[in-house]
Amino acid sequence: MTATTHTPPTSAASQAVDSGAGDADASPLRPGWLTDRRLASLTRWVARPVSGRTAGESEGAATTTAVAPYDAKPTAPVPAGTTGDVAAAVAAARRVQPDWAALSVPARAAGLHRFHDLLVERQDEVMDLIQWEMGKARFHAWQEVLQVANIARHYARQGASYLADHKVRGAIPGVTKVREVRVPKGVVGIISPWNYPFYLGIGDALPALLAGNAVVGKADPQTPLTLLWARALMAEAGLPEHVWQVVTGPGAASGEALIDHVDYIAFTGSTATGRLVAERAARRLIGASLELGGKNPLIVRADADLAQAARGTVAAAFANTGQMCIHIERVIVHTDAYDDFREALLAATSSQRLAQTFDLSADVGSLASQAQLDKVSQHVEDAVAKGATVLAGGRPRPDVGPFVYAPTVLEGVTEEMDLCLGETFGPVVALYRASDDEDALRIANQGTAGLSASVFSKDLTAADALARRIRAGSVNINDGASIAAGSVEAGMGGVGDSGLGKRHGGEGIRRFTDSQTVAMSRMGPLGPPPGMALERFVAIGNAQLRALRRLKVR
Ligand code: NAD
């Protein structure tokens, strides 16, 4: 493993730093293109009708400033919204939503296509912001761009078919005509975490908007600028002012206020917060999708290509510095392959380039915060204290960056250790030995999470059969984590403690609509025509039942 020392940005981000905060201690890694003027053009998108539009315009208006992971210095101040701002943002969204919904789906889709093209052109800016605010390696920031562009294009092209009227047979075939139609919920609230601030901040907003909703998104306090950049780009793509608004402020207060006012809440975050969100949404009887945490297993069958399995494990375990909901934390290896796989995995781990650079020269970047570093360190220390063995890494790397943790492989992990079944959310993976497929399945299905899983095997039929028995919303065969999530036409979401509902595909957009049944009669009200005795009407009805049965209708 090559540990490079901290490297200043090499892209445009390396140019002169203009500290918006005027703060001598501000992060010198601020992207060069993010001048004060440009910063103001982003923060203007914070919805603050109650507490003041921008920090400059409202005396004493509060701001919050996150800490840049690469140097542990303040990023840039962002206006902090209040619960009143959240309520006002939802009210403004509610006012403009009917006009937005009145546009045709193709008219709304055109905006998504424009957004897609602008994003592909201007991707370096958002990658700079993602890295500065969150600390991941450039390649993982690019994966956010890739995913969002694919989602935008997919819903722009397929949205109309997902939302199309569904024709069903009516109460009396031939006499009644019935359609199930999709009606937008109204105002959709989106609460997203810091780990994929771009993908999770906008990936759900795109289908919600396409379905005719207005959206109010709550930015995570760690990564607001990335979401504001996305909002500003959507404005360039033609999205009207209040149709999608971004609110800020403390996570719990702003998040709860959002749930209290919107018509549907799409939440991504921890299982603990997800439960609170579900309870609050239930009190208002609004729908919620909950994309929560995981403890994802990867099974290596005896017949697997071990070089492939090691490569897939490293990619999935250390992706996004291990701060990815679907990343692999448990690797369950058939005992016959265990020693060879362990060797291949350790070689692949040691080849990971651990660094903080604004180019593609790093494979693994920093953790996002001191809190993340503390949590990961605590999990590993607890495991080691209780008897686990560190095969690689197992310690912070302050020589690389303040919140950097070495890619880590453990074995000998047992259930009394915190990291056995508790989500670590860092670049740490534990090896387990299985005697056969049934044993592997038993270990994979331990715990209460059920987000993502993986099976490596040359026997695709056996792998497929095993996949269907793993309790997980997605299973990747011969890939660690990304082929299921990258298939944006297929639903992505968890079971058990990993959540409710799906993003992506048909379910990912239909959740933002209500299904309305529109039934039409060609002959007026259903019932006996004037003058017909009820006895005769019932007899006709019974004859019809027998005929429909013979004709195999329904
Ligand atoms: P978190 O639950 O602490 O925070 C998530 C979001 O909720 C943040 O924006 C936060 O400000 C907000 N929030 C905090 N308290 C709230 C409350 N009481 N009401 C409403 N909103 C509130 O999660 P985190 O630690 O920031 O994110 C990491 C977690 O997210 C991990 O567990 C990870 O597995 C999970 N995650 C899941 C998915 C998925 O698709 N399943 C994707 C990414 C991350």
Side-chain angles (χ1 to χ4, degrees), residues 192 194 200 218 220 251 268-270 273 291-293 325 423 503:
S192 49
W194 47 264
L200 298 174
K218 191 197 80 60
D220 190 282
T268 306
S270 62
T273 310
E291 308 285 348
L292 311 178
C325 57
E423 188 184 40
R503 57 166 51 103

Side-chain angles (χ1 to χ4, degrees), residues 262-277:
V262 293
D263 305 310
Y264 184 89
I265 190 81
F267 173 81
T268 306
S270 62
T271 298
T273 310
R275 285 187 205 286
L276 300 176
V277 169

Side-chain angles (χ1 to χ4, degrees), residues 496-553:
D497 281 1
S498 294
L500 288 173
K502 302 264 181 191
R503 57 166 51 103
H504 301 171
E507 203 174 331
I509 186 166
R510 290 195 198 103
R511 69 188 151 143
F512 298 126
T513 63
D514 285 316
S515 163
Q516 183 187 49
T517 298
V518 178
M520 230 175 255
S521 168
R522 298 180 205 280
M523 295 177 61
L526 197 63
M532 183 185 281
L534 278 182
E535 286 78 3
R536 169 123 180 85
F537 185 72
V538 168
I540 292 171
N542 284 335
Q544 189 194 34
L545 286 179
R546 287 184 202 102
L548 291 174
R549 173 81 174 93
R550 263 199 317 280
L551 295 169
K552 298 189 172 137
V553 176

